[in-house]
Amino acid sequence: MVAIGMNTLFLGALAVWGLWAATAEPARADCVAAPQLGLYQAPPAPNPAQVTASQGGASDSAAGDASRDRLGRVVAPVNINNQGPFRFIVDTGANRSVVSRDLAGHLGLVPSGSGEVHSVHGVTTAPLVPVQLLQYRNLSLESAPMPILESAVLAGEQGLLGVDGMAGRRLKMDFEHRCIEIIPSRGAPRLAGWEVIRGDLRFGSLMVIRGSINGLHVNLLLDTGSDTSLANEALRDALNARVRRNRARMDFAVAFNSGQPVVLENAIALPSIGLGGGVLEVRDVTAYIGNFHIFHLWNLIDEPALLLGMDVLSQTRGVAIDYQRHTVAFRIRGAPGAGSHLDDARSTFMSSVGVRN
């Protein structure tokens, strides 16, 4: 996750150099046939000569296949200034797209200023480079000056695709078919078979939904740029207080088997998290506790908060965030419309998501 205001960037908890084309494969049939992915564009991203010759071919929608990085995060093919495509991590916790230092040098991008970059652990100053054109396939996205980060910070990937270009749009990530779709929110088709939850868009870009853990109200942050889930100290303290009130001093095994949250020294084992007023349930989640800088930035020090990373989100079949309607839709695993707790998936996944009866 990365954060920036006009000159301040916030990043999620981040983790190969080489062009996307070097590892890209032909469009997969399962992606082309993915449910409600009718916008799929079979041709690969155009080369610079093609783009120059067809500037009128820009679209307000785009969809296509994606890949994963070594930490399990979604990676999209992105073009910069008619060059690429390059490997960018899709980061719903970043309010600005980011380019790696290696890629900036490769493209000859020259810094024109600097800005503060806020991450999980602190704040640093990064050079900003102007970008004339940022595209996902034929869709032009916000092209404000982009911070430069070291490639190691990006786990070897070439950049982050933040949500600064998602205003008025719906971003859908189909994990099952490994597809991404970005379309205008207005007129977007209903996602049949998906569970929709009302969210709250904070700071203009951060999607927050309400959750509950053992009756405790919790702010849940959706961050596809983080491979792990993180909890603030307010959540730890609130859960500890409930344990004390219940006089439930139990060891780990007893507490876990009884369905109670277990607060360890640096982590919390959460048997169950309710989402959206109990519409959905996430099971068996482990979150790391810390006085993380990013919670200070988001004014979430005193309120219990849990950042859900890809360790949890990827256990669904798909996630769609509507940045105009302020909603989050989940496509759960198991038979569509079955309304089950997905008990059969619990032995397979550490984190399972199901519809509550």
Side-chain angles (χ1 to χ4, degrees):
M1 112 196 79
V2 173
I4 261 198
M6 297 307 291
N7 293 304
T8 305
L9 171 77
F10 31 95
L11 290 180
L14 296 175
V16 187
W17 176 250
L19 300 182
W20 179 282
T23 58
E25 298 176 355
R28 290 182 298 276
D30 56 350
C31 180
V32 177
Q36 299 178 329
L37 200 62
L39 294 171
Y40 180 78
Q41 300 170 3
N47 61 39
Q50 290 174 319
V51 173
T52 303
S54 59
Q55 290 294 331
S59 172
D60 61 356
S61 303
D65 45 355
S67 68
R68 296 283 188 94
D69 74 351
R70 60 184 177 83
L71 298 179
R73 297 169 299 182
V74 177
V75 177
V78 171
N79 280 35
I80 296 180
N81 295 346
N82 296 335
Q83 297 187 59
F86 305 104
R87 294 176 56 89
F88 273 51
I89 300 166
V90 179
D91 188 351
T92 59
N95 68 338
R96 182 82 66 84
S97 295
V98 171
V99 62
S100 72
R101 184 174 298 279
D102 287 343
L103 181 56
H106 174 76
L107 296 174
L109 301 177
V110 179
S112 60
S114 61
E116 289 185 340
V117 176
H118 295 263
S119 66
V120 168
H121 299 293
V123 56
T124 59
T125 300
L128 301 175
V129 292
V131 173
Q132 284 69 48
L133 186 63
L134 178 69
Q135 287 182 302
Y136 168 62
R137 296 190 174 269
N138 290 338
L139 175 64
S140 294
L141 301 169
E142 179 71 34
S143 56
M146 297 171 62
I148 295 178
L149 294 183
E150 297 296 336
S151 298
V153 177
L154 301 172
E157 300 297 348
Q158 295 166 298
L160 294 179
L161 183 61
V163 301
D164 44 337
M166 302 300 169
R169 292 174 168 142
R170 186 178 74 189
L171 167 65
K172 182 169 72 171
M173 291 163 284
D174 187 323
F175 303 133
E176 182 179 28
H177 298 93
R178 298 176 64 182
C179 301
I180 299 174
E181 179 185 72
I182 304 174
I183 62 175
S185 297
R186 186 180 299 275
R190 179 177 174 273
L191 295 171
W194 294 55
E195 296 294 331
V196 180
I197 296 174
R198 173 66 59 179
D200 179 25
L201 203 60
R202 300 191 184 183
F203 309 105
S205 61
L206 179 67
M207 185 61 69
V208 181
I209 59 177
R210 297 294 292 175
S212 63
I213 301 174
N214 201 28
L216 177 70
H217 292 299
V218 180
N219 292 294
L220 301 176
L221 320 173
L222 307 184
D223 186 4
T224 60
S226 177
D227 63 313
T228 55
S229 295
L230 307 174
N232 66 359
E233 294 180 340
L235 176 57
R236 176 200 62 192
D237 296 342
L239 290 176
N240 268 332
R242 289 192 170 230
V243 169
R244 286 193 295 271
R245 283 200 301 269
N246 294 335
R247 292 170 297 178
R249 296 183 61 84
M250 298 173 287
D251 61 27
F252 177 85
V254 174
F256 188 85
N257 290 334
S258 68
Q260 298 293 316
V262 181
V263 181
L264 307 176
E265 183 177 358
N266 295 310
I268 305 177
L270 302 169
S272 175
I273 305 173
L275 278 66
V279 175
L280 292 177
E281 180 183 28
V282 184
R283 292 185 285 256
D284 303 346
V285 174
T286 299
Y288 295 93
I289 306 168
N291 185 26
F292 299 114
H293 170 75
I294 205 71
F295 288 125
H296 288 268
L297 181 69
W298 291 333
N299 297 321
L300 289 173
I301 290 300
D302 299 324
E303 302 177 54
L306 178 64
L307 182 151
L308 296 179
M310 285 297 291
D311 57 329
V312 172
L313 299 176
S314 65
Q315 304 309 315
T316 67
R317 298 168 71 185
V319 175
I321 302 177
D322 193 314
Y323 287 94
Q324 179 169 301
R325 296 189 175 97
H326 299 182
T327 60
V328 180
F330 295 93
R331 189 163 185 248
I332 64 168
R333 295 189 180 276
S340 72
H341 281 63
L342 303 185
D343 291 334
D344 58 333
R346 297 188 68 175
S347 61
T348 305
F349 302 106
M350 173 177 287
S351 304
S352 303
V353 181
V355 178
R356 280 188 169 178
N357 292 324

